[in-house]
Amino acid sequence: MIPTFIYGTAWKEEETERLTRLAIEAGFRGIDTANQRRHYFEAGVGAAVAGAIRDGVVQRDELFLQTKFTYLRGQDHRLPYDPKADPATQVRQSFASSLEHLQVEAIDSYVLHGPGDHDREVWRAMEALPVRFLGISNVSLHQLEALHAFASVKPMFVQNRCFARSGWDAEVRAFCRAKGIIYQGFSLLTANLNELRSAAFRAIVTRVRRTPAQVVFRFARQVGMLPLTGTTDPQHMREDLAIDDFELTSEEVGVMISGLVRHGS
Ligand SMILES: NC(=O)c1ccc[n+]([C@@H]2O[C@H](COP(=O)([O-])OP(=O)(O)OC[C@H]3O[C@@H](n4cnc5c(N)ncnc54)[C@H](OP(=O)(O)O)[C@@H]3O)[C@@H](O)[C@H]2O)c1
């Protein structure tokens, strides 16, 4: 099952296990991590998942676990593979290490963290892995088109930082829509601080009587995005999930899409 919201586990270090467990308890069923110790503590995610399953909070098949292969240049010295191995071997080593960290037998979505110099070899190796879905992150329209053209197993997900000023990644989202790819948006709040201060945005928040974060996530949902949140606050976790009982009008969606700032400061 593909979730409607994903809890992101970046930058949580020794708090990763506690916060991931809290997120599962709050109701998140999608979890995003990466085998990139520089920004993620994948083993902490695995400990949280194992604990939640052991304690009967959730069953494995109710969870959607997503992790990533990260090229050498995105890693620090804590590598999940042999830096001298060929790219395909690195993918297999990183994947095996992810299974160990996550304490599971299967991963739902495996994402190429960002394009690099060996995308064909890397993607071919990813295609041979026993995963349900593949994805690509931090990708431009041009890079996505190229990958989509050579992929035998097409990406099911694109995960990008989503800037309001680019129409919320309008070109990439349009390609995704045309190809049946689900667009995962991150930094929906932090990449758009100016836009979220605009009068146009504040007017929408006032009308629907929700928090600004809820309006952004609701907007994301209404335009077909699968949003990520990495909040560390249990109250925010509950609020982020509680966006099913209100709706933006098509006019409000239009104002949001067009980038907000030009509608007033
Ligand atoms: N593929 C990639 O390269 C990549 C890069 C970056 C991120 N990601 C993924 O995306 C996830 C989310 O990252 P993000 O960049 O979107 O930012 P984030 O880590 O979720 O940060 C959001 C910030 O907004 C604040 N905030 C205030 N109210 C909030 C609310 N109601 N809900 C959520 N946040 C609220 C949070 O503070 P509080 O903690 O106090 O709520 C936090 O400081 C990451 O954990 C990671 O899984 C992927």
Side-chain angles (χ1 to χ4, degrees), residues 8-10 32 40 113 137-138 159 186-187 213 229-232 236 240:
T9 62
D32 176 79
Y40 297 80
H113 208 153
S137 183
N138 299 301
Q159 183 183 102
F186 65 85
S187 300
T229 175
T231 182
T232 57
H236 289 164
D240 293 354

Side-chain angles (χ1 to χ4, degrees), residues 143-202:
Q143 290 165 330
L144 178 57
E145 284 171 340
L147 179 109
H148 197 271
F150 74 67
S152 302
V153 177
K154 307 292 182 194
M156 174 57 101
F157 300 107
V158 161
Q159 183 183 102
N160 268 3
R161 180 166 280 119
C162 196
F163 292 97
R165 64 174 177 268
S166 64
W168 308 81
D169 216 1
E171 288 187 338
V172 170
R173 286 193 303 109
F175 183 86
C176 288
R177 212 167 23 251
K179 301 295 183 188
I181 299 169
I182 296 173
Y183 180 97
Q184 302 180 4
F186 65 85
S187 300
L188 288 160
L189 305 177
T190 51
N192 302 309
L193 295 178
N194 278 337
E195 288 80 359
L196 303 188
R197 277 194 284 266
S198 69
F201 181 72
R202 282 186 279 120

Side-chain angles (χ1 to χ4, degrees), residues 107-151:
I107 283 167
D108 300 286
S109 168
Y110 200 58
V111 172
L112 175 53
H113 208 153
D117 295 335
H118 304 282
D119 290 343
R120 278 178 191 253
E121 274 171 277
V122 163
W123 195 261
R124 292 279 174 255
M126 288 171 60
E127 287 176 335
L129 297 174
V131 292
R132 284 173 65 207
F133 302 116
L134 298 181
I136 171 88
S137 183
N138 299 301
V139 77
S140 68
L141 176 61
H142 179 70
Q143 290 165 330
L144 178 57
E145 284 171 340
L147 179 109
H148 197 271
F150 74 67

